[in-house]
Amino acid sequence: AKNKLQKEYKDLQNKLAKAKSGAKDAGNTLTVTDNGNSSKVATNTQPRGHVVLDNAQFYTVRRGDCLIFIAKRFYGSEKGNYFPFIIAGTEEKIEDPDEIEVGQKLTIPDLKAAVSTEESRSYVKQTFYDVADKYDAKGKSGMAAQLRAIAAEL
């Protein structure tokens, strides 16, 4: 995994060098910091789907993780129910928010950046509503109501 991160880092450094020299680069500009579990996405990141990922971070799921605890870790202890931001930002579609896999790579969007454009805010809100619908279908209407309330405030 470390070798893969180092290769990605070199590729991204090359893209950055091209961009700085005036060449046009349609790719992302990232700074990858290898600290074992997360990598920082620095600047000018293109949206994934419709989510702005400036200042996003990457996280690899470990045994015992769940999206609520991951959201608390990155967004603060009072924001565990902000996990739909992670679902919206992660490239690999998360079908069931209660079932993530060990080793799965998640993208943790920056809360402010993810709602910095109307398109991105709309996409994140829709993700909250979609996840709320999934919880309604599971009979967890309390969680669904909490997610809808957060979405309404975005």
Side-chain angles (χ1 to χ4, degrees):
K2 186 174 182 179
N3 289 338
K4 184 179 177 185
L5 281 175
Q6 287 173 333
K7 182 184 179 323
E8 288 177 19
Y9 179 74
K10 282 188 177 193
D11 291 344
L12 294 169
Q13 282 183 317
N14 290 337
K15 286 182 181 183
L16 179 59
K18 277 187 198 177
K20 284 183 178 179
S21 69
K24 292 193 177 187
D25 180 10
N28 297 335
T29 302
L30 308 170
T31 300
V32 178
T33 304
D34 181 16
N35 66 5
N37 290 312
S38 65
S39 302
K40 186 89 170 175
V41 178
T43 60
N44 301 323
T45 307
Q46 300 298 315
R48 174 170 295 142
H50 300 285
V51 179
V52 175
L53 295 176
D54 290 353
N55 300 316
Q57 298 180 61
F58 296 124
Y59 179 76
T60 302
V61 176
R62 295 184 255 171
R63 184 189 320 241
D65 280 341
C66 69
L67 286 174
I68 290 175
F69 292 139
I70 294 168
K72 285 180 179 183
R73 177 178 176 182
F74 285 91
Y75 300 141
S77 61
E78 301 297 317
K79 295 191 176 178
N81 287 345
Y82 281 58
F83 68 88
F85 275 93
I86 299 169
I87 293 172
T90 298
E91 187 170 7
E92 180 183 329
K93 186 170 175 137
I94 298 172
E95 295 292 335
D96 186 339
D98 293 332
E99 294 182 20
I100 55 175
E101 301 289 325
V102 172
Q104 187 173 0
K105 307 270 189 255
L106 304 176
T107 302
I108 316 295
D110 176 83
L111 294 176
K112 288 182 183 176
V115 294
S116 64
T117 68
E118 189 56 42
E119 182 179 26
S120 186
R121 180 180 10 264
S122 293
Y123 187 79
V124 170
K125 284 177 84 163
Q126 187 58 53
T127 301
F128 269 84
Y129 290 126
D130 292 346
V131 173
D133 290 344
K134 289 179 181 184
Y135 278 107
D136 271 336
K138 291 180 173 195
K140 298 179 178 179
S141 59
M143 174 62 87
Q146 290 175 28
L147 296 174
R148 287 188 182 100
I150 295 168
E153 293 177 9
L154 295 177

